[in-house]
C-alpha cells in the first residue's frame, strides 16, 4: 500500500492495538490510542498520573518509549483539565445514581414490618451487602 497509494501513516482507534495487528504493521508508521485495559497502560498511567495532574488546571504530557508485543513504541500520555472534568462528571453521575438507588432501598426497608428482631437484623445485613 505504501507504493501503490502512497500511504505514509495509519491513524486508527484502539481496536488496532493488538499484538497480532502490531506484528503486521512492520514497516508502517501508525498512530493509535492504547487501550487502558492493557496492563502496561494501566501501570504506566498509575505511575505518571500524579506527575501529570500536579498542576490540575494545565494540560500536561509525558513522552516515553516502551515495547509491547516485541514492537518498540513511543507513547504520549496526556493530562487534560477538560478530560478530567468530563471524567468527574461521569463519576458523579454514577455515584448519584447509586446513592439514589441505595436511598430508595433503605426507604423500602424502613417501611417494612418484621415479625421479630432476628428478621429485621437479617434484612439489614442483606441491605448492607
Amino acid at each position: 500500500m505504501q507504493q501503490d497509494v502512497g500511504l505514509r501513516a495509519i491513524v486508527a482507534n484502539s481496536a488496532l492495538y493488538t499484538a497480532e495487528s502490531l506484528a503486521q504493521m512492520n514497516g508502517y508508521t501508525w498512530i493509535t490510542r492504547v487501550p487502558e485495559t492493557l496492563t502496561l497502560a494501566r501501570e504506566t498511567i498509575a505511575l505518571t498520573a500524579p506527575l501529570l495532574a500536579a498542576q490540575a488546571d494545565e494540560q500536561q504530557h509525558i513522552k516515553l518509549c516502551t515495547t509491547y508485543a516485541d514492537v518498540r513504541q513511543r507513547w504520549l500520555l496526556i493530562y487534560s483539565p477538560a478530560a478530567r472534568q468530563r471524567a468527574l462528571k461521569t463519576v458523579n453521575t454514577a455515584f448519584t445514581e447509586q446513592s439514589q438507588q441505595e436511598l430508595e432501598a433503605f426507604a423500602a426497608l424502613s417501611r417494612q414490618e418484621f415479625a421479630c428482631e432476628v428478621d429485621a437484623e437479617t434484612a439489614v445485613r442483606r441491605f448492607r451487602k
Side-chain angles (χ1 to χ4, degrees):
M1 287 184 66
Q2 286 175 331
Q3 293 173 353
D4 293 341
V5 294
L7 182 69
R8 295 189 344 221
I10 297 172
V11 178
N13 65 17
S14 62
L16 174 81
Y17 201 87
T18 66
E20 297 80 24
S21 294
L22 295 180
Q24 295 173 3
M25 300 296 286
N26 190 22
Y28 290 98
T29 299
W30 50 269
I31 300 170
T32 186
R33 185 173 184 269
V34 176
E36 290 180 41
T37 55
L38 190 72
T39 301
L40 180 59
R42 282 195 313 268
E43 290 171 352
T44 304
I45 290 168
L47 290 172
T48 58
L51 298 170
L52 290 171
Q55 295 177 328
D57 58 338
E58 293 181 25
Q59 183 166 320
Q60 303 287 329
H61 69 276
I62 294 175
K63 298 179 227 175
L64 56 97
C65 293
T66 188
T67 300
Y68 175 74
D70 294 326
V71 178
R72 287 189 43 81
Q73 303 165 31
R74 287 180 294 183
W75 285 8
L76 180 63
L77 281 74
I78 301 170
Y79 166 82
S80 161
R84 182 177 190 274
Q85 290 304 316
R86 288 190 303 272
L88 285 174
K89 183 177 179 181
T90 300
V91 168
N92 287 337
T93 300
F95 179 75
T96 300
E97 288 174 8
Q98 180 183 351
S99 296
Q100 185 62 37
Q101 291 172 356
E102 290 173 355
L103 181 61
E104 291 169 7
F106 181 74
L109 179 64
S110 65
R111 289 188 303 269
Q112 190 174 346
E113 292 186 25
F114 300 98
C116 64
E117 187 176 334
V118 172
D119 290 348
E121 289 173 354
T122 301
V124 169
R125 275 196 299 279
R126 270 192 247 127
F127 172 76
R128 288 184 177 163
K129 289 182 182 180

